[in-house]
Amino acid sequence: MGDGPRASDLRKLTAKLGLTANVDWAGSVEDVWPHYAEASLFVMPSRVEQMGIAVVEAMAAGLPVIVSNVGGMRDLVDEQVGQTFHSDNDEELANAISFHLINPVVGRARGAEGRKRALKFKMATSIDRYFEIYESITNSTAKLPASS
């Protein structure tokens, strides 16, 4: 899913490698959830990424995630939910993908753990956590109304 300036090059490379039948180019989509439901693995090989909301979405969908170790991705993904690789190391990326495809039981366990963790990113949970941090810093006793 997604698109970008190199999409055409990647489609050509896929054809050159004889992988066209194995790759579905969804492009930009409005609703990612049906695509996540069909997937067995989520890979985000970004060279630059601050937070990776797509990673959290994939985790919420119960997918094991493979991400480059850049930006906030390092904080989101560990061995319990997936795997990281160095963004400039294609061999590490290929090995991580191969591992998950060969070991679907590990992938399902990591996906289940990722789903649990993704629930922590709900807006109400995040607001409550930010308030806890703020309160600890300021020693404030003020309370926000309970979130619904």
Side-chain angles (χ1 to χ4, degrees):
M1 292 181 288
D3 214 349
R6 301 210 46 216
S8 177
D9 294 336
L10 292 172
R11 285 186 177 96
K12 289 175 187 172
L13 178 61
T14 302
K16 180 179 177 183
L17 296 172
L19 297 172
T20 305
N22 301 84
V23 178
D24 177 19
W25 293 98
S28 295
V29 297
E30 287 188 30
D31 185 4
V32 297
W33 300 104
H35 297 278
Y36 286 151
E38 292 180 9
S40 55
L41 179 62
F42 177 87
V43 180
M44 182 175 254
S46 300
R47 294 199 188 278
V48 177
E49 190 69 46
Q50 295 305 311
M51 167 50 179
I53 191 68
V55 176
V56 176
E57 290 174 345
M59 289 168 57
L63 295 173
V65 294
I66 297 173
V67 300
S68 49
N69 65 343
V70 297
M73 310 269 255
R74 291 181 291 249
D75 298 323
L76 287 173
V77 178
D78 60 23
E79 290 181 0
Q80 304 240 323
V81 300
Q83 197 168 338
T84 62
F85 68 95
H86 292 92
S87 64
D88 59 348
N89 192 322
D90 297 340
E91 188 173 339
E92 275 186 40
L93 171 58
N95 289 338
I97 293 170
S98 295
F99 174 84
H100 281 83
L101 294 176
I102 294 167
N103 297 287
V105 173
V106 173
R108 284 192 294 275
R110 287 176 169 177
E113 178 61 27
R115 185 166 168 70
K116 284 187 229 174
R117 287 192 192 178
L119 295 177
K120 294 178 184 177
F121 288 91
K122 286 183 171 179
M123 182 61 77
T125 304
S126 296
I127 290 170
D128 290 344
R129 182 66 185 127
Y130 283 128
F131 191 72
E132 287 171 12
I133 292 168
Y134 176 78
E135 189 174 57
S136 72
I137 292 169
T138 63
N139 292 320
S140 173
T141 57
K143 297 283 184 200
L144 283 176
S147 55
S148 51

